[in-house]
Amino acid sequence: MILLGFLQIFLLLVAPTVAQTATQNGGKCGEVYTQSHKPFQLNPAPYSDCTWEIIRPANETVRLIFSVLNLNPLAECSQENVTVSDGNGKVLGVLCPDSPRIDVYESVGGLSVRVFTDPNSHSRVLYLFYNSFLTGSAPVPCGGNLRGLSGNITSPNYPGRHPDFTFCVWHLETPKNTKIELSFSEIFVEIDPLCRFDFIAVYDGPSTSAPLLDILCGRTTATLETSSNSVTLMLSTDYANSYFGFSTSYTALPSSNTSSLSCAGDAMTAIISPSYLASLGYSAHELTLINPSCGPISSNPVAFIIPYQACGTVKKVEDNLISYTNTISASLATGLITRRKQIQIIVTCELDGNTTVEIMYLTRDNVIEEHRDTGRYDVGLSFFKSDDFATPETQSPYKVDLNQTLFLQATLNFPDPDLTVFTESCFASADPSFQDPTYDLIKQGCVKDDTYHNYPSGSGFARFSFSAFKFLRADISVYLKCRVIICDVNDKMSRCNQGCITRQRRDLGSSKWKANAVVGPIRLKPHTKNEVSESISEKRDEESLTNHSNFYILGILVLVVNVLILSFVILRYSRKQPAGYRYHPLATQ
């Protein structure tokens, strides 16, 4: 066994020299190749202009792969480039000094490669490999399009050795507003410091034209994360030194690292990061939708498929806007006490004509903590202490007095001096999910509340104020949801300059983008300190007055009772006495 181990290490170290030796058999300027497959390395000299040709039968397809492209990085593309053409001279592509190092071309019958360099000295290196096969039949069937929240991808024959001339391309897509984590548990392909011979190319996007995320080879493991919800994997191997290939798992993650929402034709998909959920003190099995029978479909990632017509989803129609809202919440604690905050994740899909907006925000103990709107622009809604809008109000919940003037500003989180913001609609609710009843402050640019006041807007913000109120027969909390329009500041006919538009005139004017923002809760103070002090003093005075009154009444009652008793005694005594005094003479003898 020890001998076999040393033999394996020896083969891994010397095997690359087989392919490297093959590269020394070509590369001369102007050579023509007619073999079915061949690797070759080019080291162009300064100020050279050479063309290499690959000729194969008319019923074969030639696949040419660049795995190393190192030209003079200081040269312009017009001064130094590589041009790939088909057998008829049609240009298939031009590679520049700043082009990605991996590139693939295919053509029936043959190809030509022209390398043109500038006069400057530089260690130029190009590594190419081509192979040919009957047109219409790939040497190794593999690759394809994949969709889902999670899964696995392996090389052909894994965990056995991959075939020679393996060329596979996988296109992977997860729900919108997510990113993808690739976890390679094993990579075992031909070892080479430059990954020239066998390699795995990972592209950060839906095709091989996307930016190159990484190139993997040798024997290793890796974890990669994309910037979007699509990724492309390419596996390319030559004819020598076949090993076990690779195995990777993929998982959809929220693009924000916490949670994400995507709207489709008949349902929305909500994804929550397991680590984020754990930081809140909860796990996947504790979460449900409004209908408690609807739980997550997976725990890694924590994912919910939320149908528009089931699981408690609430549909709301307002003019041209249709919204679907549901709530992800943790089951209520049992027993007498809990030390965890109650969480709710409110998810809403808004459909307005051809526009779809995903709205998602978290509340802990009914306090809105995180809001995410997946439109082009992210808008924040904040309270300020006064009408100069200089000092933001940081307390949350925001505790106010009834009828207190509240100052708010809607701000683009990525300000652009060419954009202006207009508050089109803003309404309040006693419920953080904004279910009925609701109260309009402004609707379609038309003021609905007597205390609402707009301030002049500026570059990237809109300001307004209103007086605090409370809902009758409801909780003391009030939540606000505003819809703003983002317009070009120079467009005088934009929606931002139209003001109040009635329902019949809704389509007049142009607008660029819409965004939503939520904030809350606003909670009424029970009393100010002075009010509490005055209330206590008044109460004490009332109690003192009541005590004195009770004392006087009691004294009067006692006096009346005594008089009645005395009168009764006198009356009774008087009845026992004779009517008058008589004298009786003494008897005489």
Side-chain angles (χ1 to χ4, degrees):
M1 292 298 293
I2 296 175
L3 180 61
L4 288 175
F6 280 115
L7 180 60
Q8 184 183 35
I9 294 172
F10 173 75
L11 289 174
L12 288 174
L13 292 174
V14 303
T17 61
V18 176
Q20 291 173 7
T21 302
T23 66
Q24 307 305 317
N25 297 329
K28 293 180 181 180
C29 183
E31 279 195 304
V32 177
Y33 304 118
T34 59
Q35 299 96 319
S36 62
H37 59 274
K38 184 175 180 63
F40 55 100
Q41 182 168 303
L42 307 178
N43 301 97
Y47 204 61
S48 63
D49 186 356
C50 291
T51 300
W52 290 262
E53 289 191 60
I54 302 167
I55 300 175
R56 293 298 297 161
N59 64 342
E60 289 186 4
T61 295
V62 178
R63 178 182 290 135
L64 175 67
I65 301 171
F66 288 79
S67 60
V68 176
L69 179 68
N70 185 6
L71 299 175
N72 179 13
L74 301 179
E76 299 290 337
C77 193
S78 59
Q79 300 170 324
E80 185 157 317
N81 57 70
V82 178
T83 303
V84 181
S85 305
D86 65 11
N88 299 318
K90 179 183 176 180
V91 175
L92 301 179
V94 177
L95 301 176
C96 303
D98 59 352
S99 295
R101 57 171 284 186
I102 305 291
D103 219 330
V104 180
Y105 296 93
E106 290 186 0
S107 178
V108 176
L111 288 166
S112 66
V113 179
R114 179 194 175 196
V115 179
F116 179 76
T117 63
D118 69 2
N120 297 312
S121 297
H122 181 72
S123 299
R124 300 171 177 88
V125 179
L126 288 81
Y127 188 84
L128 304 84
F129 168 75
Y130 80 85
N131 72 298
S132 59
F133 50 90
L134 289 176
T135 301
S137 62
V140 182
C142 58
N145 299 317
L146 301 172
R147 290 191 175 197
L149 297 170
S150 59
N152 296 281
I153 301 174
T154 59
S155 56
N157 293 346
Y158 184 86
R161 296 179 181 273
H162 62 74
D164 294 340
F165 304 116
T166 295
F167 183 81
C168 310
V169 179
W170 291 270
H171 303 279
L172 172 60
E173 184 179 353
T174 56
K176 191 172 66 168
N177 302 321
T178 63
K179 57 187 176 181
I180 303 171
E181 182 183 77
L182 294 170
S183 180
F184 289 85
S185 57
E186 182 175 30
I187 297 172
F188 194 3
V189 296
E190 190 168 354
I191 296 175
D192 180 68
L194 298 179
C195 296
R196 291 173 294 177
F197 315 123
D198 298 348
F199 60 84
I200 304 159
V202 183
Y203 296 88
D204 193 8
S207 69
T208 54
S209 299
L212 192 60
L213 189 61
D214 206 349
I215 301 172
L216 306 169
C217 68
R219 188 164 195 181
T220 185
T221 60
T223 300
L224 303 176
E225 191 175 280
T226 67
S227 63
S228 69
N229 66 320
S230 59
V231 67
T232 302
L233 277 72
M234 176 197 296
L235 171 64
S236 175
T237 71
D238 59 15
Y239 56 91
N241 305 317
S242 172
Y243 298 110
F244 303 143
F246 75 91
S247 174
T248 184
S249 61
Y250 62 87
T251 305
L253 299 176
S255 54
S256 67
N257 295 322
T258 57
S259 58
S260 67
L261 178 68
S262 61
C263 301
D266 59 355
M268 43 186 160
T269 302
I271 296 179
I272 306 168
S273 166
S275 59
Y276 172 66
L277 187 60
S279 72
L280 298 175
Y282 289 90
S283 57
H285 73 274
E286 296 178 279
L287 301 184
T288 67
L289 299 177
I290 291 178
N291 184 336
S293 65
C294 299
I297 62 170
S298 68
S299 58
N300 189 23
V302 181
F304 288 83
I305 303 297
I306 308 168
Y308 294 151
Q309 306 297 334
C311 291
T313 301
V314 178
K315 178 181 179 181
K316 187 175 181 180
V317 179
E318 182 182 359
D319 298 330
N320 297 328
L321 181 69
I322 302 174
S323 65
Y324 299 93
T325 301
N326 209 313
T327 301
I328 302 169
S329 60
S331 54
L332 295 174
T334 58
L336 294 177
I337 67 167
T338 181
R339 290 188 171 89
R340 298 188 301 179
K341 291 186 176 182
Q342 180 66 26
I343 66 168
Q344 288 185 322
I345 300 174
I346 292 96
V347 292
T348 299
C349 286
E350 284 192 353
L351 312 177
D352 188 0
N354 296 325
T355 304
T356 301
V357 177
E358 293 100 350
I359 304 168
M360 189 175 199
Y361 53 95
L362 167 75
T363 71
R364 280 202 274 188
D365 284 349
N366 291 326
V367 176
I368 295 175
E369 294 192 352
E370 293 185 23
H371 167 257
R372 192 163 299 104
D373 188 310
T374 58
R376 175 165 181 173
Y377 290 98
D378 186 19
V379 175
L381 191 61
S382 304
F383 291 102
F384 282 78
K385 293 184 180 293
S386 63
D387 59 2
D388 61 4
F389 293 92
T391 307
E393 181 58 64
T394 57
Q395 63 168 313
S396 181
Y398 185 19
K399 296 182 180 180
V400 302
D401 294 315
L402 193 63
N403 210 34
Q404 175 182 332
T405 301
L406 309 182
F407 304 94
L408 291 99
Q409 176 171 296
T411 310
L412 286 174
N413 289 336
F414 299 97
D416 185 329
D418 295 327
L419 297 178
T420 187
V421 177
F422 171 64
T423 306
E424 183 192 48
S425 298
C426 198
F427 65 93
S429 174
D431 181 7
S433 61
F434 294 94
Q435 300 306 311
D436 292 333
T438 60
Y439 176 73
D440 290 317
L441 297 172
I442 184 172
K443 185 175 182 180
Q444 298 177 20
C446 304
V447 174
K448 300 296 182 180
D449 180 82
D450 292 339
T451 68
Y452 183 91
H453 174 68
N454 272 320
Y455 292 84
S457 61
S459 175
F461 67 84
R463 293 167 172 171
F464 62 92
S465 67
F466 69 95
S467 296
F469 62 89
K470 66 178 180 179
F471 285 94
L472 299 176
R473 297 177 296 277
D475 189 70
I476 60 173
S477 297
V478 174
Y479 301 85
L480 293 180
K481 182 176 183 180
C482 297
R483 185 179 300 112
V484 301
I485 306 294
I486 299 102
C487 307
D488 189 330
V489 70
N490 298 314
D491 184 1
K492 302 304 180 184
M493 297 301 295
S494 71
R495 176 68 185 91
C496 296
N497 294 313
Q498 295 296 312
C500 175
I501 292 183
T502 62
R503 184 174 182 179
Q504 290 76 19
R505 299 177 57 231
R506 183 177 175 85
D507 293 333
L508 292 179
S510 62
S511 64
K512 282 209 166 185
W513 300 279
K514 296 181 180 180
N516 291 268
V518 295
V519 69
I522 307 164
R523 288 182 179 165
L524 294 178
K525 300 176 184 176
H527 288 289
T528 63
K529 289 183 178 180
N530 290 335
E531 288 173 332
V532 171
S533 178
E534 291 174 4
S535 176
I536 293 173
S537 176
E538 290 173 0
K539 188 173 181 181
R540 285 176 178 172
D541 291 342
E542 290 175 359
E543 290 177 352
S544 176
L545 184 59
T546 301
N547 291 336
H548 286 300
S549 299
N550 291 340
F551 177 77
Y552 293 144
I553 293 171
L554 180 62
I556 292 171
L557 287 175
V558 170
L559 180 60
V560 170
V561 170
N562 288 333
V563 169
L564 290 174
I565 293 172
L566 181 61
S567 300
F568 178 76
V569 170
I570 293 172
L571 180 62
R572 187 169 182 184
Y573 175 79
S574 64
R575 285 180 179 178
K576 291 183 178 182
Q577 296 299 320
Y581 294 98
R582 294 189 178 97
Y583 294 94
H584 297 277
L586 294 173
T588 60
Q589 296 182 350

